[in-house]
Every structure is written in C-alpha cells, then in structure tokens.
Amino acid sequence: MGIGDVVTRVEARCPVCMVEGAFNYVEFLYDAPYYGKVLISVGRCGSCGYRFFDMLYADAGEPVRYTYQVEDLVDVARTMIIRSKTGTIYSPDLGFSLEPGPYAEPFITTLEGFLYRVVDYAERLMVTSDEARDRVEQFIEEVRRTLESGSTFKIVVEDPEGKSIIVPPPGREGKLRKEIIKTSGED
C-alpha cells in the first residue's frame, strides 16, 4: 500500500534558512480511517533540518455531535476519542472544553489518555493567579478521582466537518448518541 496519490512535489527555497532548492515539499491525497480523504502536506529542509506537516480535509461530512455517558473504568479505559482539527470535546459534568484553534492537532486516543491530556493542559495553567490556581487544582483533583474511581460523567464531541467521533467499547455502542447539528441558516 502506497502513501497515496501525490498531488504536488517541489524543491523550493526553505522558509527558515532561505537556501534555494533545499526544501523538499510533497502533498498527497490519502484515504484515512475515520477522517476520509485528506490532503497531507510534508516538507523537510536538507540544509537546516526544518520540518513541516499539515493535514487538510479533502471532503467534509455533516456537522455532528456525539454524546456518551461514561459509567465505569471500562468506559474510561476502552472508549476511543478521535478528534479532527475542527473537533470540540467537552464534559458538562467535569467542567472542561477543548476547543479547536488555528493550530489544533488531530489525535486518536483512549478516553483515559485524553483525560490525562486535559490534566496536563490544566497543570500548565497553574502559573496564573492564586484564585485561578485554586480552581485549577480542584479541577485536576476531580479528574484524577474520576480516573481512579470510574465515576459517571458525560463526554461530548462536536465537529462541524463531521470528522471527530467517540468509539465506545465493544458491546456498549447502544449508549452512544449521535445527532446531526443544524448549522445557522437551516430551518
């Protein structure tokens, strides 16, 4: 199996060191599981070592929202979260939201791995004021308790491009609720 259909291949001036012809750039179409057709762009400078990577969606799905009620440690350990660059993940019960932005990274992980990522993001906020620091510490403690005890909570994934999804453990697919989100301008 190849890497996909090459769309563009050029040798160009490196945007960092400015050496002409040192930057090798390739774009190719790839059919990625869950994401559909994607345009992958990669580049590397043979002079300074600068690397570039980006992924754009070549086709879009319907705006979607997935809601899953986590009930135990099996759900935490075996539920998969697949997030595209345009996906939002939040939990009204745990009180967090991970929003997309200009440099949002797509990822595939377990719910457990995602919650550890949320704790890592929260720990980076500890440099704020004492009042905010206390709230962040309380939040981190709540997430850690959830990871240890398997407390119940709701997790929601929304994506205007329809590329993000929650994949429950085998046999628990009936607990996943999928909704097509109406966009503004639709009646």
Side-chain angles (χ1 to χ4, degrees):
M1 179 170 136
I3 60 170
D5 298 325
V6 173
V7 176
T8 305
R9 181 183 307 262
V10 296
E11 290 182 0
R13 178 189 319 232
C14 175
V16 176
C17 71
M18 306 305 277
V19 172
E20 190 65 47
F23 189 67
N24 294 308
Y25 179 81
V26 179
E27 291 180 332
F28 57 94
L29 278 173
Y30 181 75
D31 195 7
Y34 298 107
Y35 294 120
K37 288 211 179 282
V38 293
L39 179 66
I40 297 176
S41 305
V42 294
R44 182 180 182 289
C45 178
S47 177
C48 70
Y50 168 71
R51 293 179 184 268
F52 172 82
F53 173 83
D54 196 16
M55 181 180 81
L56 301 171
Y57 307 110
D59 56 357
E62 295 180 293
V64 68
R65 175 184 302 122
Y66 290 95
T67 305
Y68 189 69
Q69 184 67 39
V70 177
E71 295 179 354
D72 57 24
L73 289 173
V74 172
D75 278 335
V76 171
R78 299 195 55 209
T79 298
M80 297 299 293
I81 302 290
I82 299 165
R83 182 207 188 215
S84 75
K85 292 169 69 168
T86 56
T88 298
I89 304 172
Y90 62 94
S91 174
D93 301 325
L94 294 177
F96 72 83
S97 179
L98 178 65
E99 306 278 335
Y103 300 106
E105 68 176 339
F107 56 79
I108 299 173
T109 186
T110 62
L111 179 54
E112 180 179 26
F114 172 71
L115 290 175
Y116 279 116
R117 183 180 293 219
V118 168
V119 166
D120 183 53
Y121 293 154
E123 286 173 341
R124 294 179 197 177
L125 297 173
M126 299 295 271
V127 296
T128 60
S129 68
D130 288 340
E131 182 180 320
R133 182 182 179 93
D134 290 343
R135 287 196 319 264
V136 171
E137 285 176 348
Q138 290 172 354
F139 169 76
I140 290 170
E141 267 311 304
E142 183 176 352
V143 173
R144 286 192 174 136
R145 273 195 304 275
T146 298
L147 284 163
E148 292 169 7
S149 68
S151 313
T152 63
F153 66 95
K154 187 180 294 183
I155 189 82
V156 181
V157 172
E158 293 182 357
D159 193 333
E161 298 288 327
K163 300 294 182 187
S164 301
I165 189 170
I166 298 172
V167 181
R172 297 184 178 198
E173 296 86 357
K175 295 185 345 178
L176 180 66
R177 191 173 87 220
K178 177 183 178 181
E179 303 169 69
I180 303 302
I181 302 171
K182 290 189 179 214
T183 56
S184 60
E186 290 184 9
D187 293 327

